[in-house]
Amino acid sequence: MDLQPLKQRAAARIDQASVALDGLALAIHGRPELGYEERFASAALEDYLAGQDLKVTRGAGGVETAFVAETRNGVGPTIAICAEYDALPGIGHGCGHNLIAASGIGAYLGVAAVAKDLKGTVRLIGTPAEEGGAGKVKLHAAGVFDGVDAAMMFHPADADVLDPLMVALRVLQLEFRGTAAHAAASPYAGVNALDALMLGWSAMSALRQLVRTDSRIHGIITDGGQASNIIPERAAAKIVVRAADPSYLGELRRRVLLCFEGAATATGCELRHEWGEAMDMVTTNQPMAGAFGENARVLGRELGPRRAGETSGSTDMGNISSLIPSIHPFLSVSAERVPWHSREFAAAASTPRALETMHIAAKALAFTAIDLLGRPELLKQTKAAFRPARSA
Ligand SMILES: [Zn+2]
Ligand SMILES: [Zn+2]
């Protein structure tokens, strides 16, 4: 089956929606919302789809700011396109999820426009709370990804990368408990929970020199005491441990915890800990990535391999990629190198170049979905290449 005419029609549909897609990307950029609070963004996207006579399920999977739109034609594979739209505290759209949202809408419009000429289903999933909320994990558990044969999205970046290294992570919540006392009158009656935390932090910092280059250990202190004239009876921190190799991640988790356990022993504090949120490494499905790369090349963008020695953070799309064949390619929104989660990246996520990249992403995703629906051998290769990954 010659898919070229279908791709041309999909691209024309995306071009036709160009002004609206830019409007959505910029409106969401201008009103950044934190994970699970993306009420403006989700409503804007849902309302737009509804206005295009596309059926939308709001609050998908029991998550208020999630949604699903689906177009089905007969029996065939199901392809999911993920749209993120959450922002970061303090720095807004420093990860450019406003562009992921608009590209997902555009890709869905494109495929939906040709769906009656293809057998199968395309499902647009509005996935909240990527930043620290593991929204996709929640939606997967609620069945929103049920029946999906392949899942895809794009992420804005400062380079075009087909198979980025996005590592696994685990979050560690720590709480030290000591004894409060007057810090000047009777400090000897206290047990200092903040000192315990600082001691453990120092040990953790020393450990950081000794870890592999594709690992990261970082965090924040979330409670450092209540008043400067009280020996702190409580101190708390949120630590993130990341590594590419699951067994090495396990080793790092053990060693990081030992840093704080040692500090608890040294200071006589009680330590409570809990391992929370887990993200898997992104496993790029190579046949899907090959198709996306070819489609992007036709659209004028040549995606390269990951940059040696660099990691690109983590994502809940990693968890999806452990369960379903997936891709999470990067497309550049900036001529210069701009770090994610910075004010500079937030500024780069609303430029004409960023919008142009969003349009290319929408088309490349639509074309890749059309390939997966219309080329049975590609779907077969995609499934053959898939190995469910072990979770962190
Ligand atoms: Zn981010
Ligand atoms: Zn992101």
Side-chain angles (χ1 to χ4, degrees), residues 8 15-16 29 38 57 76 107 113 116 176 181 208 216 218 231 283 300 341 384:
Q8 275 165 11
D15 285 338
Q16 189 203 334
H29 187 273
E38 313 97 325
T57 305
K116 64 177 186 328
F176 283 95
R208 283 195 272 227
R216 298 284 186 272
H218 53 95
I231 297 291
T283 306
H341 293 198

Side-chain angles (χ1 to χ4, degrees), residues 84 88 94-97 130-131 155 314 340-341:
E84 300 174 358
L88 294 155
C95 214
H97 294 183
E130 188 283 324
E131 300 289 358
H155 200 293
S314 310
W340 286 289
H341 293 198

